Amino acid sequence: MPTEFVPLVKRPKFPFRNLPIEGKLWLLATLGLGIGGAIKSINLVIILAILLLALFLLNVWLAGRSLRSVQAKRLWPKAPIAGLPISWLVIVSTRKPYSLGWTLYEPLGNDDCPGWLILSLQPNESLELAGRGIFQKRGKIAVPALEGYSGYPFGLIQSRRLISPADSVIVLARPRPVNRERLLRWLHGGTGDGELRRVIRITPHEGEFHGL
């Protein structure tokens, strides 16, 4: 069964790799331990600093690895109509390796982008997610790419990747109610020569003829 999105925090605005405050404090502590251990010639402190740096580099590698082969696409069950709620599916899949602990953001809609927290996605497995939104304008609307963010496993760095290409969708105009009495009054108003207005029906053969 498709899972509806849950509103998450506001979409972070940063390039393809970002160092959050946790990562900055981690590196600052690593640098302090390294310098202090070198000045005091304390090998245990130096080893601890090297261990902290190794864990940071491991976080950088695993965060990028979680999004490396992830792909996603949107499926529209029906054409969107301007001003009316529309539901669509987001199909997420990965080839290899395992994809763990990352967030998929759906840029459609307002600034507080809806998203999904993907805890685990196995190779050759697909996941169906359901999103809902409203298009305010009709016509050909540009649809932004889906974005994946990963800080797995320690959250010391945030890796970002576009996991679907940007696309477009045709949004239809919202139908308006028809006033039956006014329509009948217009039909019976005549054309000026005593004849009633009538709907002209074109047969398929006539349509093909006029299309030549």
Side-chain angles (χ1 to χ4, degrees):
M1 294 292 293
T3 303
E4 295 182 0
F5 64 75
V6 292
L8 297 179
V9 296
K10 194 170 184 178
R11 179 172 66 92
K13 297 179 180 180
F14 50 74
F16 286 88
R17 273 196 170 81
N18 180 64
L19 195 62
I21 184 63
E22 295 84 359
K24 295 177 181 178
L25 293 176
W26 187 279
L27 290 179
L28 184 61
T30 302
L31 181 62
L33 288 174
I35 295 176
I39 293 175
K40 298 295 184 178
S41 299
I42 304 176
N43 293 334
L44 186 59
V45 176
I46 296 176
I47 293 175
L48 180 58
I50 294 175
L51 178 60
L52 292 178
L53 180 60
L55 289 177
F56 179 82
L57 296 178
L58 178 64
N59 196 165
V60 173
W61 179 63
L62 289 177
R65 184 174 181 266
S66 294
L67 301 173
R68 186 175 305 164
S69 60
V70 175
Q71 296 179 342
K73 62 179 179 179
R74 297 183 183 92
L75 295 180
W76 304 91
K78 58 181 180 180
I81 299 177
L84 296 180
I86 178 68
S87 299
W88 63 89
L89 291 179
V90 176
I91 310 298
V92 187
S93 61
T94 181
R95 297 186 302 275
K96 61 178 182 179
Y98 285 87
S99 180
L100 301 172
W102 59 281
T103 303
L104 170 63
Y105 280 91
E106 169 61 277
L108 287 179
N110 50 32
D111 292 335
D112 296 326
C113 294
W116 301 269
L117 177 61
I118 312 296
L119 297 178
S120 176
L121 188 61
Q122 299 181 5
N124 301 320
E125 177 189 11
S126 61
L127 184 64
E128 287 188 2
L129 305 169
R132 285 194 303 225
I134 298 177
F135 290 95
Q136 300 297 339
K137 298 181 180 180
R138 65 179 182 177
K140 188 176 182 180
I141 305 298
V143 178
L146 293 164
E147 304 175 6
Y149 295 85
S150 175
Y152 179 82
F154 309 124
L156 301 178
I157 192 170
Q158 289 287 339
S159 180
R160 167 179 174 254
R161 182 173 178 269
L162 302 180
I163 58 177
S164 75
D167 201 357
S168 61
V169 63
I170 302 299
V171 180
L172 304 180
R174 185 172 182 175
R176 300 292 182 181
V178 177
N179 190 307
R180 181 173 178 271
E181 294 182 357
R182 293 182 61 182
L183 177 61
L184 292 177
R185 191 182 307 118
W186 181 83
L187 290 173
H188 288 280
T191 60
D193 53 1
E195 295 185 2
L196 296 178
R197 294 187 176 97
R198 59 189 180 90
V199 178
I200 301 176
R201 299 182 181 273
I202 300 178
T203 64
H205 298 290
E206 291 176 337
E208 293 175 0
F209 175 78
H210 290 292
L212 293 178

